[in-house]
Amino acid sequence: MVRRPVAWVAAIVLFVEAIGIALLNWFLGVVVDRQDMSLAGLDSDMMSVSSKVGGLVFGLYFALCGVAALLVAVRDRAPGLFGRILLISAAVVHGLLGAFTVGLVGWGAFVFMMVALGLIVFTLLAFDRGAGPADAAPGDGVGGKDGNGGTDGDMNGGTNGGTGGSPVTAPPTPSAS
């Protein structure tokens, strides 16, 4: 199936973005520090330090999102609650960054952000916890065996105390009298 390779690619893209964001903000901090100028009375040293710290924090965030995608790829199952929250927030961040970069940087950066967004969303949806009957394992609630060895098909795990399920019968046909 294609879902594991997509999760691997999403993890790699997130790690590359983590490094890129951290280096870009570090470079911007160095540029501001060498300019030695003030912007509306702000201290240039404070702007330099805040750019560097912000880049490191944002880079660590993307690296953590990359770890979540990597765990999805390695385990071949849906992320846990924390991983799901991380990946959803990364998808939202990529959507917002894509909207900003189209005007500030250009269409190439927008396409990159949308590809990253698509990889993250595909990873989330391909490993969805609410898998349908085709993806479900036997006995996990979809067509699982009940206590009598029959199938009851209910969604409570198939353990209804052995009462078995009754087949569904069609309603009686109306008579024309």
Side-chain angles (χ1 to χ4, degrees), residues 50-148:
S50 64
S51 176
K52 292 175 183 177
V53 169
L56 290 176
V57 168
F58 208 41
L60 288 174
Y61 164 72
F62 274 141
L64 193 59
C65 293
V67 168
L70 184 66
L71 288 176
V72 167
V74 168
R75 294 178 181 166
D76 194 22
R77 64 175 192 203
L81 179 65
F82 184 68
R84 189 175 270 305
I85 290 171
L86 273 175
L87 291 176
I88 289 171
S89 68
V92 170
V93 166
H94 278 84
L96 292 172
L97 285 176
F100 290 131
T101 57
V102 72
L104 296 174
V105 181
W107 287 101
F110 173 76
V111 169
F112 176 77
M113 286 296 158
M114 293 302 106
V115 167
L117 172 67
L119 289 169
I120 294 168
V121 169
F122 185 84
T123 300
L124 283 167
L125 293 179
F127 291 93
D128 192 15
R129 289 178 183 253
D135 295 335
D140 68 348
V142 181
K145 293 197 179 264
D146 64 9
N148 288 333

Side-chain angles (χ1 to χ4, degrees), residues 6-86:
V6 170
W8 279 102
V9 171
I12 292 168
V13 166
L14 286 168
F15 285 130
V16 168
E17 277 187 310
I19 294 168
I21 289 290
L23 289 177
L24 176 68
N25 279 306
W26 193 270
F27 173 74
L28 290 175
V30 169
V31 168
V32 168
D33 193 31
R34 290 188 181 166
Q35 290 278 324
D36 198 30
M37 295 169 49
S38 175
L39 179 68
L42 295 174
D43 185 23
S44 63
D45 291 332
M46 184 61 69
M47 288 190 302
S48 172
V49 169
S50 64
S51 176
K52 292 175 183 177
V53 169
L56 290 176
V57 168
F58 208 41
L60 288 174
Y61 164 72
F62 274 141
L64 193 59
C65 293
V67 168
L70 184 66
L71 288 176
V72 167
V74 168
R75 294 178 181 166
D76 194 22
R77 64 175 192 203
L81 179 65
F82 184 68
R84 189 175 270 305
I85 290 171
L86 273 175

